[in-house]
Amino acid sequence: MKGVNVALGAAGLAAFLALGEAVPRLGLVKEAYFPPTSRIAGALADEVTDSAFWSALGDTLTGWALGLAIASCAGIVVGVVVSVVPYLREVTASTIEFLRPIPSVALIPLAVLLYGTELRSVLLLVVYASFWQVLIQVLYGVQDVDPVADETARSYGLGTWARVRHVLWPTALPYVMTGVRLAAAVALILAITAELIIGAPGLGKLIGVAQASQAVPEMYALIVVTGLLGLLINVGARTVERRALAWHQSVRGEVAV
Amino acid sequence: MTRVLLRLVFVCALPAVLVTVWWVASAGSTDVYWPPLRTILEAFPEVWTAQRLRADVLPSVLRLTGGYALAAVVGVALGTVIGSYRRVRAVCEPVLEFLRAVPPPVLVPVIMLFAGIGDTMKVTVIASGCVWPVLLNTVEGVRAVDPVLAETARSYGITGVARLRRVVLRSASPQIIAGLRQALSIGIILMVISEMFAASNGLGFTIVQFQRGFAIPDMWTGILVLGLLGFVLSVVFQLVERRVLGWYHGLRASARRSP
């Protein structure tokens, strides 16, 4: 069954690539706008041999990883503190609900003024956007703690720290993982956006340069790279999630009784 | 009565504190980039006049609505088809996963090639970014229709449009709504970005103009307007969600009460 699915998927991918080759060749769209697959692949091969491409990839990944790490740590710490300290959740709810939907791209003009094209302006956008993803999930996760388990821990005399470590954290971890996975995708989007719009070094900037200089196949090649990067991040995040939650019911599956 | 008051205090206390801190901390600010909050608030009514709202905010919102609606229709329709047939799903899955993984903002330069820099470009950009979360969530939702429910519907002879509306889309709707929620924030991002790239009006365009002209308090008001817009849209979305998914939240709540 799995083999059939893989074969069908491969066929779909092949059909997609063939379509990309045929449509411009048949003149259905102008080749200048939409180059055939083979030319994009050629441009991609050229890019891979170019050291500028690799340093841009490195810049993008640095912005992504650093931003995601900061946002995750901050989200987890703030989330746990807010939900453990009495009343803090009620007090902060309205502020969180207000700040969360503010689109992080609104901060682009500010980032440009404050930091120019430095890494810090990328980080400002990435951290703002991904912080909420993690925070909200942590809050949901902590809410999910079984009151009986919590009461039991209390009556056994576990302190606050021990309860956070042994009761709250294992319950919240699946939610935290979901939050980090969502944040990883959002962080990539914002990192590339910041490079594209602000001109901070990275893949986004290369795409902008390729577009401005009418290098259409190169532009498509770079977009394919960003797609592959996104795919890799998704797959990676799912793998980490499965590893970290190997003990958890949702991954382990119910034990057959 | 006291409970209502207490709630009011909980809701308003922190925002009030934060705004006060901002006000006091920035009151004597001579930093060009961080003008006093008073200056920003004074600039607000001057900048966002009714005329500017009509000239800049309205086009932005219309583009967003158009692109978002298009993405919702296409996403749900395609998602239902792909989700209903196992083989179609197997063929499409890798391609869809790849297309979804492409960060939507990079579509702006591509679509500019095809559609120029007019409204068509912006609506297309918004739609092509928003469609993936809707599409993939619909596929998941349609796939996960309760088999017992599906069989029951079949044995009662519910087929065709009735089946699609009352069984398939109904039970997929929590997933579809989740996709639409993700799509909303992507849509706002794309609306702003497409206007920052090339436009002669719109929120994104105006804010960048302010920033380039070093009209810093005006730029700050623009950021506030974008924030308010995001907030209002998310509130509207929640209201609609509560109406549409009322049955589902009720079901979940009662399931939680009686385990």
Side-chain angles (χ1 to χ4, degrees), chain B residues 141-222:
Chain B
V142 168
R143 208 184 59 158
V145 170
D146 185 0
V148 177
L149 214 62
E151 282 301 316
T152 315
R154 188 169 313 175
S155 64
Y156 274 114
I158 300 172
T159 52
V161 179
R163 182 182 128 83
L164 196 66
R165 253 189 60 198
R166 300 198 182 278
V167 181
V168 176
L169 288 182
R170 222 349 131 80
S171 52
S173 61
Q175 289 262 17
I176 296 177
I177 299 273
L180 285 170
R181 193 181 317 115
Q182 284 177 26
L184 184 63
S185 45
I186 294 181
I188 299 176
I189 291 182
L190 288 175
M191 174 193 90
V192 177
I193 290 175
S194 63
E195 289 170 354
M196 282 179 170
F197 250 86
S200 52
N201 61 2
L203 268 170
F205 169 75
T206 312
I207 295 174
V208 170
Q209 286 305 98
F210 287 147
Q211 176 239 319
R212 292 197 178 137
F214 280 90
I216 307 298
D218 298 5
M219 179 196 87
W220 270 101
T221 63

Side-chain angles (χ1 to χ4, degrees), chain A residues 146-235:
Chain A
D146 184 3
V148 176
D150 196 43
E151 285 302 317
T152 313
R154 261 172 219 275
S155 63
Y156 275 122
L158 266 65
T160 310
W161 175 244
R163 268 185 292 130
V164 168
R165 168 74 191 80
H166 294 292
V167 180
L168 195 146
W169 182 246
T171 318
L173 193 60
Y175 291 87
V176 175
M177 284 291 161
T178 310
V180 173
R181 178 160 52 77
L182 293 174
V186 169
L188 182 69
I189 294 178
L190 265 299
I192 298 219
T193 306
E195 293 159 4
L196 192 66
I197 307 271
I198 302 178
L203 288 175
K205 186 184 179 185
L206 285 191
I207 292 174
V209 171
Q211 186 235 350
S213 53
Q214 300 286 319
V216 179
E218 282 75 15
M219 184 179 83
Y220 276 96
L222 289 166
I223 290 172
V224 169
V225 172
T226 61
L228 292 176
L229 201 58
L231 205 60
L232 217 62
I233 287 174
N234 281 346
V235 172

Side-chain angles (χ1 to χ4, degrees), chain B residues 7-42:
Chain B
R7 253 197 80 75
L8 209 67
V9 169
F10 277 142
V11 170
C12 300
L14 187 60
V17 169
L18 288 177
V19 171
T20 316
V21 167
W22 186 3
W23 182 284
V24 172
S26 67
S29 167
T30 48
D31 191 335
V32 196
Y33 299 149
W34 300 97
L37 181 57
R38 212 160 76 109
T39 318
I40 297 173
L41 292 183
E42 275 168 5

Side-chain angles (χ1 to χ4, degrees), chain A residues 1 5 8-9 12 87 91-92 94-95 98 101-103 106 109-110 112-113 192-193 196-197 207 211 220 223 226-227 231, chain B residues 10-11 14-15 33 86 90-91 94 97 101 103 105-106 109-110 112 114 188 193 207 211 216 219-220 223 226-227 230-231:
Chain A
M1 196 60 237
N5 276 352
L8 284 175
Y87 297 117
V91 174
T92 51
S94 62
T95 311
F98 181 76
I102 293 179
L110 187 66
V112 172
L113 286 180
I192 298 219
T193 306
L196 192 66
I197 307 271
I207 292 174
Q211 186 235 350
Y220 276 96
I223 290 172
T226 61
L231 205 60
Chain B
F10 277 142
V11 170
L14 187 60
Y33 299 149
R86 203 161 41 80
V91 171
E97 284 293 330
V106 302
V110 177
M112 261 168 73
F114 286 93
I188 299 176
I193 290 175
I207 295 174
Q211 176 239 319
I216 307 298
M219 179 196 87
W220 270 101
I223 294 179
L226 261 183
F231 176 70

Side-chain angles (χ1 to χ4, degrees), chain B residues 5-173:
Chain B
L5 268 180
L6 201 64
R7 253 197 80 75
L8 209 67
V9 169
F10 277 142
V11 170
C12 300
L14 187 60
V17 169
L18 288 177
V19 171
T20 316
V21 167
W22 186 3
W23 182 284
V24 172
S26 67
S29 167
T30 48
D31 191 335
V32 196
Y33 299 149
W34 300 97
L37 181 57
R38 212 160 76 109
T39 318
I40 297 173
L41 292 183
E42 275 168 5
F44 200 97
E46 287 164 34
V47 176
W48 299 99
T49 53
Q51 193 222 339
R52 192 185 283 278
L53 288 180
R54 210 169 29 247
D56 284 322
V57 180
L58 192 65
S60 289
V61 173
L62 285 180
R63 287 168 194 147
L64 178 64
T65 319
Y68 187 69
L70 192 64
V73 172
V74 173
V76 172
L78 270 182
T80 312
V81 172
I82 296 174
S84 304
Y85 303 99
R86 203 161 41 80
R87 282 180 190 276
V88 178
R89 201 168 66 235
V91 171
C92 295
E93 210 142 46
V95 176
L96 289 180
E97 284 293 330
F98 171 73
L99 289 176
R100 178 184 65 160
V102 174
V106 302
L107 299 173
V108 180
V110 177
I111 293 170
M112 261 168 73
L113 279 178
F114 286 93
I117 57 170
D119 282 338
T120 327
M121 176 277 265
K122 283 157 200 116
V123 172
T124 319
V125 165
I126 295 169
S128 55
C130 291
V131 77
W132 305 112
V134 183
L135 175 63
L136 288 166
N137 274 292
T138 309
V139 170
E140 284 299 309
V142 168
R143 208 184 59 158
V145 170
D146 185 0
V148 177
L149 214 62
E151 282 301 316
T152 315
R154 188 169 313 175
S155 64
Y156 274 114
I158 300 172
T159 52
V161 179
R163 182 182 128 83
L164 196 66
R165 253 189 60 198
R166 300 198 182 278
V167 181
V168 176
L169 288 182
R170 222 349 131 80
S171 52
S173 61

